[in-house]
Amino acid sequence: MELVQKKFKHVNIQDPFFSSLINDYKEFTTWFAKKAEDKAYVFEDENDKVNGFLYLKTEEGSVDDVVPQLPNKKRLKVGTMKINARGTKLGERFIKKIFDHALHNKVSEIYVTVFPAHEVLIALFTKYGFTQVAEKHTQNGTELVLIKNLNVLQNTLVRSYPLMDMANRNIYLLSLNPQWHTRLLPDSILTNESADIIEDISHANSVHKVYLAAMDGLEKLKPGDILVIYRTTDHQGPAHYRSVATSVGVVEEYRSIRSFASRDEFMSYCQPYSVFSDAELDQFWQRKNYPHVFRFTYNAAFKRRVTRGEMIEQFGIDPAAYWGFMRLTRDQFNLIAQAGQMDESIIIN
């Protein structure tokens, strides 16, 4: 299945997927027709049947059709979001797209209206820090108005996402070889040209990642630690120019592979967010040659990659150090983030 952007006029509203939306919103068919030239994210299966639909819109001003009204502000509105879950992580992939758009459009707030009966959808938004602030009353009934403030840290790492709490955090450079990097972080830009990550449609784009490695020192990882992801050379040229920092994440949890009581427990922990196939995971479990298992949130891809040469010559990073897993200073992190043109609004000191 593939997540693509399509104009409304190229989406089949007769697909059974839209039946519940047509039933919930009396004006849905008319509204859909008016949006003919607008684009939405559409998730289709191998039979071209719709399994997910996400429409986003940037707004400026007050929101006066809810009670109480929302004050004048630039916001991203989640206009329509529906998922046929079927055990997939599509909801979290849509969440990632929502936050990508919010940062790209430099909004301070995201809002969505949801009928109370849609408990699973409400739980998904709540998981990522949305809270109810108002209600919307129409001929269709009463909807809850959920808001996500993009300027304020919340009480958990995931509820705060994509913000990064930098206060008293350790910062590390973590290297990945190109094979794993491509699988794990598909929207990290791998050219020197600035690019718009909003256009990325990779199936592997998600908030959470699980990775296994054997590098010394990884057992030091603690929740909240910051990771600068470093893709090692692809051997297309000197590592000085081809090894690059590409993105940042925040550690959620570290575990030793030996902390899992069984293969089944290990597989169930890794499978949802791992880049590795079941066969690869099974091999890792049998051999225990990658003892470090950690989960992290994928907070931002750099708009521009930062080369090993820059980090050595301009940012003072020791070329003789072990670049597999290396502690960075806050100043070094700031310089890398600036060179990578990362959205600094996600950094909270």
Side-chain angles (χ1 to χ4, degrees):
M1 291 193 277
E2 188 177 11
L3 180 63
V4 298
Q5 278 191 307
K6 281 190 170 184
K7 288 187 176 182
F8 276 64
K9 66 182 182 182
H10 295 143
V11 179
N12 178 20
I13 195 175
Q14 303 303 319
D15 190 299
F17 172 87
F18 292 105
S19 297
S20 64
L21 289 167
I22 292 170
N23 289 333
D24 282 348
Y25 299 96
K26 295 178 176 60
E27 70 281 8
F28 186 81
T29 302
T30 303
W31 173 83
F32 199 95
K34 288 181 179 177
K35 294 290 181 184
E37 295 298 325
D38 289 352
K39 287 184 178 180
Y41 286 103
V42 184
F43 193 70
E44 297 177 326
D45 65 18
E46 58 276 4
N47 299 314
D48 297 325
K49 294 295 184 182
V50 179
N51 276 270
F53 186 86
L54 173 65
Y55 170 64
L56 303 170
K57 180 184 179 184
T58 303
E59 299 181 340
E60 292 197 51
S62 60
V63 181
D64 55 13
D65 60 351
V66 304
V67 180
Q69 294 184 12
L70 305 183
N72 185 39
K73 193 175 289 189
K74 186 177 182 181
R75 297 180 176 87
L76 181 70
K77 180 181 181 180
V78 182
T80 305
M81 177 170 162
K82 188 195 171 191
I83 304 153
N84 285 346
R86 299 182 183 175
T88 71
K89 293 297 174 183
L90 179 57
E92 291 174 4
R93 286 162 60 185
F94 273 177
I95 289 288
K96 178 72 164 62
K97 285 298 179 193
I98 291 168
F99 287 131
D100 283 348
H101 275 263
L103 295 175
H104 178 74
N105 291 293
K106 301 188 184 305
V107 304
S108 58
E109 201 169 82
I110 307 168
Y111 83 103
V112 60
T113 63
V114 189
F115 284 110
H118 297 159
E119 295 178 356
V120 173
L121 195 57
I122 292 170
L124 176 66
F125 282 116
T126 301
K127 176 181 178 180
Y128 291 97
F130 285 77
T131 56
Q132 183 190 347
V133 299
E135 293 182 345
K136 182 174 182 178
H137 306 285
T138 68
Q139 62 176 342
N140 302 310
T142 297
E143 294 176 89
L144 308 180
V145 181
L146 308 180
I147 291 286
K148 166 76 173 189
N149 187 325
L150 288 170
N151 297 323
V152 179
L153 291 168
Q154 299 194 37
N155 60 349
T156 70
L157 188 155
V158 174
R159 284 181 61 85
S160 295
Y161 181 89
L163 302 181
M164 301 190 304
D165 181 4
M166 302 296 295
N168 303 313
R169 303 296 187 185
N170 293 323
I171 306 170
Y172 298 101
L173 182 138
L174 173 72
S175 70
L176 276 62
N177 73 34
Q179 174 191 4
W180 303 129
H181 185 279
T182 299
R183 286 205 224 172
L184 192 70
L185 307 171
D187 66 355
S188 293
I189 307 308
L190 291 181
T191 70
N192 275 322
E193 300 302 317
S194 179
D196 181 0
I197 63 173
I198 301 307
E199 295 303 319
D200 170 69
I201 57 172
S202 171
H203 68 281
N205 189 1
S206 62
V207 172
H208 305 275
K209 308 288 182 179
V210 168
Y211 195 64
L212 283 80
M215 293 175 287
D216 290 341
L218 287 171
E219 66 280 357
K220 299 175 185 175
L221 289 174
K222 293 181 174 56
D225 285 348
I226 309 299
L227 299 175
V228 174
I229 307 300
Y230 174 75
R231 193 209 66 176
T232 57
T233 180
D234 55 7
H235 303 291
Q236 301 291 315
H240 199 71
Y241 305 106
R242 300 298 300 179
S243 295
V244 291
T246 67
S247 42
V248 292
V250 180
V251 176
E252 291 186 77
E253 183 179 35
Y254 166 85
R255 292 185 66 172
S256 164
I257 196 170
R258 300 184 185 280
S259 71
F260 296 95
S262 65
R263 175 191 176 278
D264 287 348
E265 183 189 350
F266 168 73
M267 295 293 283
S268 65
Y269 182 88
C270 294
Q271 280 173 326
Y273 301 114
S274 171
V275 297
F276 304 112
S277 67
D278 285 357
E280 288 167 336
L281 288 172
D282 189 61
Q283 187 178 81
F284 297 159
W285 173 253
Q286 297 298 332
R287 296 182 178 179
K288 304 292 193 295
N289 54 336
Y290 293 101
H292 305 298
V293 185
F294 55 98
R295 186 173 69 237
F296 64 97
T297 57
Y298 180 33
N299 292 60
F302 293 157
K303 294 185 176 70
R304 175 188 172 275
R305 66 182 184 177
V306 185
T307 67
R308 173 186 171 93
E310 283 180 88
M311 289 188 276
I312 292 170
E313 294 164 3
Q314 300 178 34
F315 309 153
I317 298 179
D318 183 1
Y322 175 58
W323 285 56
F325 181 68
M326 176 173 57
R327 182 84 175 265
L328 297 174
T329 67
R330 178 60 192 274
D331 285 344
Q332 288 168 337
F333 172 82
N334 289 343
L335 290 168
I336 293 169
Q338 289 166 11
Q341 299 172 9
M342 188 184 87
D343 190 326
E344 295 184 10
S345 68
I346 69 171
I347 298 174
I348 306 295
N349 296 303

